[in-house]
Amino acid sequence: MLRDPRMRRLLPGFAASSLGDGMSAVAVSWLAIEIAPPDRHGMWVALAVAAYTLPGALGTFLLASVLRGRSGAQLVTWDSTLRAVALGAIAIVALSGALSIGVYVALLAVSSLLHSWGSAGTYTLMAELLPERDHVPANALLTTLSQGGVLIGPLLAAAVIAGTGASTVIALDAVSFAVLALFCGFGMPWAARADLRASGSGFRVMLADRKLVALLALTFCFFALYGPVEVGLPVYVSDYLHAPASHLAWYFTAFGGGAVIGGLIAGYLRAWPLWPTASGIVIGVGAAFLPLGLGAPVAVSVAGLAVAGIVYAPYGSITIVLFQRSADRAQVLAARRTVMILAGPVGVGTGGLLVTGLGPRPAMLVTAVGTMTLGILAAAATAVTFRQR
């Protein structure tokens, strides 16, 4: 991948946005905690996290007539530009002292409106630039950059939060998306290839392929089950451990560090069978979350998240290849992203209810046990299918 001149032109932009995303992993929830009423932290953290993703699902449908058939470079540029503007607005309003929790959630929602198309554009761009044999390594490289941001970003965010507050981190995230928009907008051709133009609905294409439907269902449940951790961990650190943002950052950093290792490994797994590998990953991630849900000492829980990152990282690189190989890849990838966006709010909403009703640690235990169960069921279904063949 590094020998390809077009990839080298793109990498600085993707690296910058990955670092911004890593910082926002801490800042989005922590800023909600800073400005929300103390007795409503769980609810507002859930709403903020959902607002940072959910409107992208609406954008898939509402903007399909405008964005369908666009090149990957166009989709990434427009999504990054909107993110930069909306997140920058949050930082400006916060600087003026007028940022309320409602305004904050609304601007987060605006920032995510194009994100399903932007994500689809990223993988469409890889498929446009590279031959099919290089799709898994290219996906793995993007995963490694993303998780590298999760490795470095949370610690950097914690340092900035300690000095100037979470809104400054949001401003830096806005700058990172502006950098990606510049690199993609000026460094890549915008013309969509004729064979990549839309010829049908992405959902219709997916529903006609049972493999895609089954893989989408597994991925949806896998991502949704992470919701209780996404909501529970910040509340657990803030309200139960009474620790600063740097404490939360170490959890994310451990996961990101493991995921960097897993992302590097993923590029060499192109020959592994899809379904057994995906099922094993889901089981392994659930087992790695157990120390967090069982209230193990901090060092053990942090180590568990590092293992979870190693095991989890290859999942997207391996499974998204099926979607990239569709003739209507931009539409199919956007439709997939929509379903994944819906998985986030479903998980976050469920996580908010569980955290409020059970407390953060039992809610995270639900994630661990539920994820392991999902992986075991997927492995059993795969074994039955292979036996029938």
Side-chain angles (χ1 to χ4, degrees):
M1 297 301 98
L2 296 177
R3 288 195 297 267
D4 189 295
R6 296 167 300 181
M7 288 293 293
R8 289 200 302 270
R9 288 198 299 270
L10 283 172
L11 289 181
F14 283 120
S17 68
S18 295
L19 180 60
D21 279 339
M23 296 174 70
S24 69
V26 173
V28 167
S29 57
W30 205 264
L31 183 54
I33 289 173
E34 286 181 356
I35 62 179
D39 59 339
R40 300 287 182 88
H41 280 173
M43 181 190 75
W44 282 112
V45 168
L47 287 174
V49 172
Y52 199 49
T53 54
L54 179 59
L58 296 176
T60 301
F61 300 104
L62 297 177
L63 301 172
S65 61
V66 177
L67 300 179
R68 184 183 293 129
R70 301 290 181 175
S71 70
Q74 285 177 300
L75 296 176
V76 174
T77 301
W78 291 344
D79 171 48
S80 302
T81 300
L82 180 61
R83 286 240 167 186
V85 171
L87 295 176
I90 290 174
I92 292 170
V93 176
L95 183 64
S96 71
L99 185 64
S100 66
I101 188 65
V103 171
Y104 175 53
V105 170
L107 287 172
L108 285 176
V110 171
S111 77
S112 67
L113 186 60
L114 296 179
H115 202 48
S116 64
W117 288 101
S119 177
T122 298
Y123 291 102
T124 298
L125 184 56
M126 296 300 102
E128 289 171 347
L129 295 178
L130 301 170
E132 187 174 292
R133 68 177 183 274
D134 290 334
H135 289 175
V136 170
N139 296 342
L141 180 58
L142 291 177
T143 298
T144 303
L145 287 175
S146 175
Q147 299 305 332
V150 177
L151 172 65
I152 302 170
L155 292 177
L156 181 58
V160 175
I161 289 171
T164 59
S167 61
T168 305
V169 181
I170 299 295
L172 294 174
D173 194 17
V175 171
S176 75
F177 279 108
V179 171
L180 177 58
L182 288 173
F183 273 90
C184 216
F186 293 99
M188 290 291 113
W190 276 35
R193 279 170 29 184
D195 64 336
L196 294 180
R197 290 189 181 275
S199 62
S201 166
F203 285 102
R204 187 165 61 246
V205 173
M206 283 198 301
L207 292 174
D209 189 327
R210 283 187 286 182
K211 289 182 180 179
L212 293 183
V213 171
L215 185 58
L216 198 65
L218 174 63
T219 306
F220 179 92
C221 295
F222 185 29
F223 286 14
L225 280 166
Y226 179 67
V229 172
E230 199 165 7
V231 177
L233 190 56
V235 176
Y236 181 66
V237 170
S238 174
D239 295 358
Y240 286 79
L241 298 181
H242 303 290
S246 58
H247 195 100
L248 177 63
W250 280 111
Y251 285 100
F252 284 109
T253 297
F255 184 88
V260 168
I261 298 172
L264 293 171
I265 294 171
Y268 299 94
L269 303 183
R270 71 180 83 188
W272 284 38
L274 172 64
W275 284 102
T277 303
S279 302
I281 287 173
V282 175
I283 295 170
V285 169
F289 280 146
L290 276 175
L292 195 61
L294 293 172
V298 171
V300 177
S301 297
V302 169
L305 283 181
V307 173
I310 294 173
V311 177
Y312 162 77
Y315 184 88
S317 303
I318 293 170
T319 58
I320 204 170
V321 169
L322 277 184
F323 298 89
Q324 283 178 308
R325 291 174 182 171
S326 169
D328 298 299
R329 61 171 66 97
Q331 288 186 89
V332 170
L333 287 166
R336 173 192 177 275
R337 178 62 183 173
T338 296
V339 175
M340 295 303 99
I341 283 176
L342 294 174
V346 167
V348 167
T350 304
L353 294 174
L354 290 173
V355 169
T356 302
L358 302 177
R361 190 172 59 78
M364 292 186 286
L365 183 60
V366 170
T367 286
V369 175
T371 303
M372 291 177 64
T373 302
L374 174 66
I376 291 170
L377 291 175
T382 300
V384 169
T385 301
F386 285 158
R387 188 177 297 115
Q388 289 175 345
R389 290 179 180 176

